[in-house]
Amino acid sequence: MPTTKRAEPDACSLLDADHRKVKKLFKAYDELTKSKAASAPRKKRELANEICMELTVHARIEEEIFYPALREAIKETDLLDEAEVEHASAKDLIAQIEEAEDVDDMFDAKVIVLGEYIDHHVKEERNEMFVKARAARGLDLVALREQLETRKEELMAEVTGSTA
């Protein structure tokens, strides 16, 4: 049975899988904010760290590989400029979360606002950027996915200290 070009996972599919994973982490964090369990602050810190790590790696692969390739392939790059500004805002919040001493109401607020930023960013990527990327001529999104996967594995190994 022949497969269509569309059926093969591409760069947008990989990035969107990251988006869905992080969305689940934010939902789990939100559930923890309602918990009165003594272990909740520790679990919130662990979850926040995982969210920050996932987003940091995701932003790096977009900035290093996906955005430059898309910039070459499409005429209007306003979306990419905005995405990079959104990344800068997210990185600022990530730094505040990672540096926070206490898991208190301000900590929760920072994680929640980060989640809202990311929701907005994901909608724009999904509804506008990915549509343009898939319509762009000469942009091999399947090959780009392979580059993104390789780089993501390298970065994950760096941040987790593992040699995968």
Side-chain angles (χ1 to χ4, degrees), residues 111-161:
V111 175
I112 289 164
V113 169
L114 179 62
E116 291 167 356
Y117 276 4
I118 299 306
D119 261 356
H120 169 81
H121 181 71
V122 165
K123 281 185 184 106
E124 284 187 347
E125 282 192 347
R126 210 178 263 157
N127 299 333
E128 298 176 53
M129 194 180 294
F130 292 171
V131 171
K132 285 182 170 49
R134 286 181 168 137
R137 292 182 187 270
L139 186 59
D140 185 344
L141 290 171
V142 174
L144 207 53
R145 183 200 79 234
E146 291 166 12
Q147 285 181 299
L148 290 167
E149 274 178 332
T150 301
R151 184 65 177 134
K152 183 178 175 182
E153 286 169 14
E154 292 168 3
L155 292 169
M156 283 297 197
E158 276 178 32
V159 294
T160 60

Side-chain angles (χ1 to χ4, degrees), residues 84-107:
E84 289 187 21
V85 170
E86 288 168 355
H87 278 199
S89 297
K91 286 177 193 172
D92 182 50
L93 263 179
I94 288 168
Q96 290 179 44
I97 291 165
E98 289 176 337
E99 292 163 9
E101 300 280 324
D102 299 316
V103 178
D104 55 11
D105 289 346
M106 280 305 284
F107 186 87

Side-chain angles (χ1 to χ4, degrees), residues 9-124:
D10 64 12
C12 300
S13 317
L14 178 131
L15 296 172
D16 213 35
D18 283 358
H19 294 157
R20 286 190 304 276
K21 179 178 184 179
V22 170
K23 177 99 175 150
K24 284 182 185 164
L25 295 173
F26 277 115
K27 276 193 170 133
Y29 189 93
D30 191 50
E31 289 302 311
L32 275 176
T33 62
K34 298 169 180 82
S35 171
K36 300 291 182 221
S39 63
R42 181 184 49 77
K43 287 180 180 171
K44 283 199 273 188
R45 167 59 79 187
E46 289 168 5
L47 210 44
N49 288 346
E50 186 178 354
I51 288 167
C52 291
M53 179 196 64
E54 290 286 340
L55 290 175
T56 299
V57 168
H58 180 83
R60 291 249 333 249
I61 65 172
E62 282 186 336
E63 290 167 6
E64 291 176 10
I65 299 166
F66 187 69
Y67 292 172
L70 197 52
R71 216 174 261 287
E72 293 283 314
I74 64 174
K75 283 185 178 69
E76 65 178 82
T77 55
D78 294 3
L79 263 180
L80 292 162
D81 296 340
E82 289 172 24
E84 289 187 21
V85 170
E86 288 168 355
H87 278 199
S89 297
K91 286 177 193 172
D92 182 50
L93 263 179
I94 288 168
Q96 290 179 44
I97 291 165
E98 289 176 337
E99 292 163 9
E101 300 280 324
D102 299 316
V103 178
D104 55 11
D105 289 346
M106 280 305 284
F107 186 87
D108 287 346
K110 288 173 185 172
V111 175
I112 289 164
V113 169
L114 179 62
E116 291 167 356
Y117 276 4
I118 299 306
D119 261 356
H120 169 81
H121 181 71
V122 165
K123 281 185 184 106
E124 284 187 347

